Amino acid sequence: MRLSTLPLLAAIVIGAFVSLNVSAEGVQADPVTEAGIVNITWQGVDNYRDVKAVGDIQSRYELRTFETLTKNLNKAASKALKPDQKLLLVVTDLDLAGDVRPTFGASVSDIRVVKDLYPPRMTFSYQILEGDQVIMAGDEKLTDLGFMQTIGVASDRPLRYESKMLADWLQKTVAPKL
C-alpha cells in the first residue's frame, strides 16, 4: 500500500464509523406535539398498532396525525378544563379506525377501509396540572366500539373517530372529577 493512499483510506474508515455511530445514536426521540393547554408525548411510535400512511410518506403522515389529534383534543380540553389547568398525555399505543389494505396495483397507494370491525384504540397515561401541581393523573386504554354510529356520514374531518373518542373520554371521565 502506498503512503499517499493511507490518508484517503483512513478518512473513509473514520467516515463510515462516524456515520454508523450517528445512525445508532440518532434514533428519533419520541415526538411531542403541543397545542394550547394540551401537550402530548408520542412514545414508541414504531410499536403502535396502526398509524399506517396511505398515499403519503410515513413520517409526514405520523406527524400530521399527531398534530391533528393534539389540536382537536385542545378544543375539547379548552371547554372541559379551567383556564389555569393543562393536560399532559404520554401515548404508548395508537390504532386508527379502519385497516390499511393493499390495492394490488389498482392504484398507486393502499387504502384505509373503515368498518365496525376496526375500531379506534388508544393507550395513554395523563396528568392534569393546575400551575405546577398535579391534581389528577391516571392511565387509560380507550376503545370506541360504536364509533360508526356516533358520527354522521356527512363528516369528512380527518381523524374524526379518534378525536371524538378522546373528547368523549375528557367529558365523561375527566370533567366530572374536576
Side-chain angles (χ1 to χ4, degrees):
M1 181 184 289
R2 295 174 41 197
L3 270 149
S4 61
T5 59
L6 191 59
L8 178 62
L9 182 62
I12 291 171
V13 169
I14 289 171
F17 180 74
V18 167
S19 69
L20 285 174
N21 279 345
V22 167
S23 63
E25 294 173 7
V27 175
Q28 175 147 357
D30 298 332
V32 175
T33 54
E34 189 166 3
I37 59 172
V38 174
N39 179 299
I40 303 178
T41 302
W42 303 91
Q43 192 175 68
V45 174
D46 293 339
N47 298 321
Y48 286 4
R49 277 191 221 186
D50 174 21
V51 187
K52 294 181 185 124
V54 288
D56 198 357
I57 297 170
Q58 182 65 33
S59 60
R60 191 169 32 191
Y61 178 76
E62 287 172 359
L63 184 59
R64 189 173 57 248
T65 298
F66 300 156
E67 288 174 348
T68 301
L69 287 173
T70 304
K71 184 182 74 168
N72 292 345
L73 183 58
N74 182 58
K75 286 179 188 175
S78 297
K79 296 173 187 171
L81 301 180
K82 296 175 185 170
D84 58 339
Q85 294 177 338
K86 186 170 180 131
L87 174 62
L88 306 177
L89 268 71
V90 177
V91 177
T92 55
D93 193 19
L94 178 61
D95 185 357
L96 300 177
D99 189 38
V100 175
R101 300 286 177 85
T103 58
F104 301 109
S107 72
V108 181
S109 60
D110 298 337
I111 60 171
R112 180 171 292 277
V113 177
V114 179
K115 293 183 177 182
D116 288 343
L117 187 60
Y118 311 112
R121 302 169 199 264
M122 188 178 236
T123 305
F124 59 90
S125 59
Y126 71 94
Q127 291 182 336
I128 306 288
L129 300 178
E130 194 165 326
D132 292 335
Q133 192 84 2
V134 176
I135 60 168
M136 181 185 234
D139 297 316
E140 294 291 339
K141 196 171 194 174
L142 303 180
T143 302
D144 186 0
L145 296 175
F147 75 103
M148 295 289 286
Q149 286 75 38
T150 58
I151 298 213
V153 287
S155 179
D156 63 346
R157 291 180 335 150
L159 304 165
R160 60 190 167 273
Y161 303 117
E162 297 78 8
S163 296
K164 180 155 181 8
M165 179 177 68
L166 285 169
D168 288 348
W169 163 77
L170 199 60
Q171 287 300 322
K172 294 174 184 172
T173 305
V174 175
K177 296 178 183 174
L178 295 175

